[in-house]
Amino acid sequence: MLISLLLGMGAGGVWWWKQRLASEQPAVAAATEQPPSAPVATGPGGAAGSANAAPAVAAAPAPVAADPLKASGLSRATIRVDGALETAVTAATGPEVGPALAQVVTRTLVWWVDVPGDIRRGDTLDVLYEVRPGEEPLVHAVRFASSKTGQTHRSYRFQPETDKNPRYYLPSGEELELRLENSPLDDYEQVTSLLRDGRRHKGVDFKTPVGTPVKAPFTGTVARKNWSFRFNGNCIELQEVGGKNRRALFLHMDELPRSLKVGDRFNVGTVMGRSGNSGRSFAPHLHYQLEAADERVLDPYETHRTYRRSLAPSLRGAFEAEVRRLDGLLGSTTVAGG
């Protein structure tokens, strides 16, 4: 009987324990499956806001303004001259660009001052230029503060829609470079060498595409053609008849007409051939050398009459817009003169 009583009590205890577990499981499941509460929106200072308040949105970062100079593909150099011009330009732009850039900038400066004699310590130079692999730098704008002249000079590269070539212009709309009456070329891009530019060159070099017509600057005869071809390339020498008995030499021309012979007579303005890139030439151009009867080298800009062209009124708006753009890339400064 004692054993039966113990077995009965054990069975009752097991039944009671199962009933207790069964009653607790729904409550545990309900607590486990309850979704997490929605985040509480907070107002300024962290205080809880309305239950319907929209969640805060992070402000987008302000856009970074593009660098206009970088976007233009150009480079800018600000130079203070404390010695030789080439040294100053190289110090500002590096040895790979500096020497060539100094030569290109000199082509602009020579129309304002003598180079190097009038370049003084303390003069400042701002240059906007384009680096071109395998070619010399292309200058788009120059600003030069000269203590010699007491002025800040400026020039800008601009191509009128009516012209084949770009040119350099003063703020007034006049061309920077003087032109020659009875010039051997009606059109060209730039004078790349003058007798007064410090290079001891004997002639004037005109940067112009191959095939540009070359004209006689006076009436005369053909004295010789194609001598020292290795250096001169296709070349011709003209002898003036009457007048000052000058001689004109054209070097680095394209192939001369076969019909052109020594002794042929011609009049001023006659097309003698076309410009080229022959002989010891590093880029298409025409070398024009003028000599007196006694073989003294003459400066064509002192022998010919000269003049400057100006932009037509219809082109001034486009030019002034380009000046504003280039001035913005150069940076602000106080300018005087032109």
Side-chain angles (χ1 to χ4, degrees):
M1 292 180 64
L2 179 60
I3 293 172
S4 297
L5 180 61
L6 291 173
L7 291 173
M9 292 177 62
V14 171
W15 177 88
W16 176 84
W17 180 253
K18 287 182 178 181
Q19 293 297 319
R20 182 177 179 183
L21 287 178
S23 64
E24 290 179 351
Q25 283 178 352
V28 172
T32 304
E33 295 176 1
Q34 182 177 355
S37 59
V40 178
T42 58
S50 167
N52 296 325
V57 179
V64 178
D67 182 353
L69 184 63
K70 185 175 181 180
S72 72
L74 304 181
S75 300
R76 179 180 61 224
T78 298
I79 300 154
R80 180 183 174 86
V81 179
D82 290 317
L85 178 63
E86 182 176 322
T87 301
V89 175
T90 300
T93 61
E96 294 184 358
V97 175
L101 182 60
Q103 289 189 19
V104 176
V105 170
T106 296
R107 300 171 191 168
T108 297
L109 301 184
V110 292
W111 298 100
W112 297 320
V113 295
D114 288 336
V115 180
D118 289 342
I119 305 293
R120 298 179 175 178
R121 291 181 182 272
D123 288 351
T124 59
L125 183 65
D126 297 294
V127 183
L128 198 63
Y129 65 97
E130 177 183 349
V131 176
R132 304 180 297 174
E135 297 185 72
E136 66 184 15
L138 180 61
V139 169
H140 288 254
V142 174
R143 186 168 58 210
F144 174 55
S146 168
S147 55
K148 168 70 175 181
T149 66
Q151 293 180 305
T152 297
H153 304 275
R154 295 178 288 161
S155 74
Y156 306 90
R157 187 175 185 268
F158 177 69
Q159 183 168 3
E161 59 184 12
T162 55
D163 289 3
K164 294 180 180 178
N165 297 309
R167 301 280 295 173
Y168 289 91
Y169 290 86
L170 303 171
S172 63
E174 292 180 301
E175 289 182 344
L176 167 69
E177 300 176 349
L178 291 170
R179 288 181 179 260
L180 305 175
E181 288 190 0
N182 295 327
S183 171
L185 298 175
D186 287 338
D187 196 27
Y188 52 92
E189 183 172 342
Q190 188 184 20
V191 175
T192 56
S193 182
L194 290 168
L195 270 68
R196 63 176 184 270
D197 63 9
R199 296 174 57 191
R200 297 186 178 182
H201 203 52
K202 292 184 178 182
V204 173
D205 286 349
F206 296 94
K207 180 181 180 181
T208 192
V210 172
T212 304
V214 178
K215 296 183 176 182
F218 46 66
T219 297
T221 60
V222 176
R224 56 177 173 165
K225 57 183 287 190
N226 290 352
W227 70 99
S228 301
F229 185 85
R230 178 183 175 187
F231 296 98
N232 298 338
N234 293 298
C235 54
I236 186 172
E237 180 181 328
L238 310 180
Q239 177 67 55
E240 186 176 20
V241 174
K244 301 177 181 178
N245 292 315
R246 296 168 297 179
R247 295 188 302 165
L249 287 70
F250 297 133
L251 311 183
H252 313 302
M253 297 178 68
D254 202 7
E255 186 175 357
L256 295 171
R258 293 185 179 180
S259 59
L260 186 67
K261 297 180 174 57
V262 173
D264 285 352
R265 294 181 64 88
F266 55 83
N267 295 321
V268 58
T270 300
V271 175
M272 308 304 300
R274 298 185 180 275
S275 66
N277 190 28
S278 58
R280 191 174 181 180
S281 173
F282 301 101
H285 76 285
L286 175 71
H287 172 99
Y288 172 39
Q289 186 170 324
L290 196 60
E291 296 182 355
D294 60 3
E295 299 187 358
R296 287 182 299 107
V297 174
L298 303 173
D299 187 342
Y301 283 92
E302 295 177 355
T303 303
H304 290 257
R305 292 182 179 179
T306 60
Y307 65 100
R308 274 195 173 95
R309 286 184 183 176
S310 295
L311 287 169
S314 61
L315 300 170
R316 289 302 298 268
F319 171 67
E320 290 170 358
E322 180 66 356
V323 167
R324 288 192 296 271
R325 184 183 78 88
L326 295 175
D327 274 343
L329 297 176
L330 276 175
S332 61
T333 189
T334 301
V335 295

